[in-house]
């Protein structure tokens, strides 16, 4: 049974392998929120995410015979690297089953730590099923990403580090995917100081855990869709759910635009690269999902920083749109000389900087037809965007926003 003693034992095992990551005061977030905000920077972990904690603790608790046979895991991301590196520390064979669509950079990242990679299945669930089957046939121990008490105990060490550095906290905010991190952390937090509020944050595109928490029973979803791939978990674990029902005070959710704006905020204001899953706590803070926090002392866990760079430009674009620093409008013009010039003059007068424009003629006749014009522009906040929309409406231009 998981308890504080087990989590403290895990902390001793991982010492010297896992980085005791910084817990740093965040002045900008504190200013905008009216609270005293601290960031637990697991994005600076040796593998770029907290997952190595649970993976290492699990492998460390295996028998010599089990380690001699090797381990297997299914993952397309942080858990894969955590298992691979942990196994290498014990000179243990590691096989990682990853979906066939896994980006090459992630495959190479796992191979870098000496693990064997098998690409199988169209998604995580198919890779997971194959990993279970492969492990049984080859006498390999399966290392589950969250439904395992030794793994959960390892993840709980994040809470010990936070409270060893800053004991007088009012709340700790934790990302939720499969629930292993919040299960371990909440067990440690409530054992040390039950007055500390534990708040979970999930992606609205992966609602299974939040729905299960509210219904007080495990329910699954048919699909997930979120840019926060590290917490894009379709099904709910009854094991981690029970710890959440026991220890977690509330769970909130954030959508992809809110996550993207948090990623951008952390890049600009904190100079930190944090993946979608690791940014959800900041997203909840920035978009007022954490109620009654004025004057309180709060720690947010940045659970990982393994950002897929191919998605970074898309995420930044979403963040700029959400923060009202970019906007797109579509207008219909009379297709004749001077129409486009007059339209752009209006934008110039409003100090809106055009970054992309497309002009599509919708009809051609002896007389002048129409043209659809779509403009992407840089703007200076919500009020500036409202001024632009009102001006375009006044001139009869605005069709779509």
């Amino acid at each position: 049974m998981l308890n504080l003693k087990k989590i403290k034992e895990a902390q001793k095992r991982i010492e010297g392998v896992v980085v005791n990551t910084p817990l740093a005061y965040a002045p900008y977030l504190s200013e905008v929120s009216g609270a005293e905000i601290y960031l637990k920077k697991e994005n600076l972990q040796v593998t770029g995410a907290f997952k190595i904690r649970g993976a290492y603790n699990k492998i460390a608790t295996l028998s010599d015979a089990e380690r001699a046979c090797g381990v297997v895991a299914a993952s397309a991301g942080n858990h894969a690297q955590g298992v691979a590196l942990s196994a290498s520390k014990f000179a243990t064979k590691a096989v990682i089953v990853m979906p066939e669509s896994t980006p090459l950079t992630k495959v190479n990242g796992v191979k870098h730590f000496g693990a064997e990679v098998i690409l199988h299945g169209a998604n995580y669930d198919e890779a997971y099923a194959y990993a279970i089957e492969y492990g049984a046939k080859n006498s390999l121990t399966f290392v589950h990403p969250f439904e395992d008490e030794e793994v959960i105990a390892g993840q709980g060490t994040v809470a010990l580090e936070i409270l060893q550095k800053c004991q007088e906290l009012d709340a700790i905010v934790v990302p939720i995917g499969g629930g292993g991190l919040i299960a371990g952390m909440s067990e440690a937090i409530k054992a040390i100081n039950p007055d500390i509020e534990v708040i979970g944050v999930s992606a609205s595109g992966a609602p299974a855990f939040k729905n299960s928490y509210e219904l007080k029973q495990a329910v699954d979803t048919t699909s997930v869709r979120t840019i926060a791939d590290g917490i894009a978990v379709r099904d709910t674990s009854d094991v981690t759910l029970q710890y959440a029902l026991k220890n977690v005070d509330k769970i909130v959710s954030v959508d992809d635009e809110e996550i993207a704006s948090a990623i951008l905020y952390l890049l600009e204001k904190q100079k930190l690269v944090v993946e979608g899953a690791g940014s959800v706590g900041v997203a909840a803070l920035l978009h007022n999902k954490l109620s009654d926090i004025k004057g309180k002392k709060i720690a947010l866990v940045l659970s990982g920083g393994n950002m897929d760079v191919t998605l970074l430009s898309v995420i930044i674009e979403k963040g700029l749109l959400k923060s009202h620093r970019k906007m797109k409008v579509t207008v219909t013009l009379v297709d004749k000389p001077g129409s486009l010039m007059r339209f752009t003059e209006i934008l110039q007068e409003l100090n809106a900087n055009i970054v992309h424009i497309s002009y599509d003629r919708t009809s051609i006749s002896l007389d002048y037809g129409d043209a659809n014009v779509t403009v992407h522009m840089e703007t200076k906040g919500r009020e500036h965007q409202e001024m632009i929309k009102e001006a375009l409406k006044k001139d009869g231009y605005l069709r779509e926003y």
Side-chain angles (χ1 to χ4, degrees):
M1 184 65 183
L2 181 67
N3 52 36
L4 182 60
K5 179 175 179 291
K6 202 166 189 175
I7 296 169
K8 286 183 174 180
E9 289 171 351
Q11 187 178 38
K12 290 180 181 177
R13 290 191 196 100
I14 68 175
E15 189 176 356
V17 176
V18 173
V19 176
N20 188 329
T21 54
L23 178 72
Y25 175 67
Y28 289 111
L29 285 170
S30 298
E31 183 180 345
V32 299
S33 67
E36 189 175 335
I37 305 298
Y38 294 83
L39 301 177
K40 177 60 172 169
K41 300 178 181 179
E42 282 296 286
N43 60 309
L44 303 181
Q45 193 50 258
V46 61
T47 56
F50 75 95
K51 289 283 191 176
I52 189 176
R53 296 172 179 271
Y56 188 88
N57 189 55
K58 173 65 177 178
I59 295 172
T61 56
L62 297 178
S63 68
D64 291 341
E66 288 172 322
R67 283 200 292 267
C69 290
V71 297
V72 63
S75 172
N78 296 331
H79 181 61
Q81 292 192 59
V83 172
L85 178 57
S86 299
S88 72
K89 297 294 184 181
F90 292 95
T92 296
K93 173 185 177 181
V95 178
I96 311 295
V97 183
M98 309 180 85
E100 293 167 359
S101 59
T102 303
L104 183 61
T105 53
K106 291 189 176 183
V107 174
N108 289 340
V110 174
K111 288 182 177 179
H112 173 74
F113 294 120
E116 176 187 346
V117 174
I118 297 175
L119 297 177
H120 182 92
N123 51 48
Y124 170 78
D125 297 289
E126 291 181 11
Y128 172 83
Y130 184 78
I132 294 290
E133 179 185 340
Y134 185 90
K137 285 182 179 178
N138 294 278
S139 301
L140 304 176
T141 299
F142 183 74
V143 182
H144 198 284
F146 48 82
E147 203 169 69
D148 182 291
E149 284 199 351
E150 297 299 347
V151 171
I152 294 171
Q155 320 303 29
T157 61
V158 176
L160 297 185
E161 291 178 7
I162 290 173
L163 294 176
Q164 284 161 0
K165 294 173 183 176
C166 188
Q167 293 184 359
E168 295 181 2
L169 288 168
D170 295 297
I172 299 179
V173 182
V174 186
I176 296 182
L181 179 61
I182 200 164
M185 287 188 64
S186 65
E187 185 68 20
I189 292 163
K190 292 301 185 181
I192 294 170
N193 184 352
D195 293 330
I196 296 175
E197 188 178 17
V198 179
I199 303 170
V201 186
S202 65
S204 58
F209 202 98
K210 183 174 185 290
N211 292 345
S212 300
Y213 177 82
E214 290 170 352
L215 293 170
K216 295 183 170 51
Q217 63 179 26
V219 294
D220 301 331
T221 51
T222 55
S223 64
V224 295
R225 187 176 181 85
T226 174
I227 61 173
D229 58 337
I231 54 174
V233 178
R234 187 189 68 180
D235 301 335
T236 302
S237 162
D238 191 59
V239 173
T240 56
L241 176 62
Q242 293 310 311
Y243 286 109
L245 291 173
K246 174 186 173 188
N247 297 317
V248 175
D249 295 286
K250 66 180 175 182
I251 297 176
V252 300
S253 64
V254 288
D255 63 31
D256 277 4
E257 284 192 350
E258 291 165 340
I259 294 169
S261 69
I263 293 171
L264 183 59
Y265 190 95
L266 287 164
L267 274 170
E268 290 190 312
K269 298 295 187 182
Q270 296 293 149
K271 314 306 177 189
L272 293 171
V273 177
V274 183
E275 64 187 88
S279 304
V280 293
V282 174
L285 182 75
L286 291 175
H287 298 284
N288 303 314
K289 303 296 178 74
L290 308 178
S291 59
D292 190 30
I293 63 170
K294 298 290 185 181
K296 291 185 177 179
K297 198 170 184 176
I298 300 171
L300 308 178
V301 179
L302 308 180
S303 58
N306 291 320
M307 173 73 71
D308 185 347
V309 293
T310 60
L311 291 176
L312 188 56
S313 62
V314 176
I315 290 170
I316 289 174
E317 183 74 11
K318 280 180 174 287
L320 290 170
L321 289 168
K322 182 66 178 177
S323 60
H324 304 287
R325 291 157 62 187
K326 265 193 175 183
M327 74 180 295
K328 180 182 80 169
V329 296
T330 300
V331 301
T332 302
L333 304 179
V334 178
D335 184 26
K336 67 177 183 179
S339 291
L340 182 59
M341 180 180 291
R342 174 55 192 148
F343 173 62
T344 56
E345 283 175 352
I346 294 171
L347 296 180
Q348 180 186 12
E349 291 165 7
L350 291 164
N351 201 24
N353 185 39
I354 297 172
V355 293
H356 178 76
I357 188 167
S358 62
Y359 191 95
D360 178 28
R361 301 178 77 181
T362 58
S363 63
I364 300 174
S365 65
L366 293 176
D367 298 320
Y368 294 118
D370 293 332
N372 289 334
V373 179
T374 300
V375 181
H376 297 253
M377 67 192 92
E378 293 174 340
T379 54
K380 299 175 181 178
R382 188 191 297 271
E383 290 184 7
H384 190 205
Q385 290 189 358
E386 291 301 322
M387 286 173 57
I388 293 169
K389 287 193 289 182
E390 288 302 316
L392 292 177
K393 284 178 183 177
K394 183 179 178 181
D395 279 71
Y397 282 119
L398 188 63
R399 194 189 82 206
E400 181 182 330
Y401 166 67

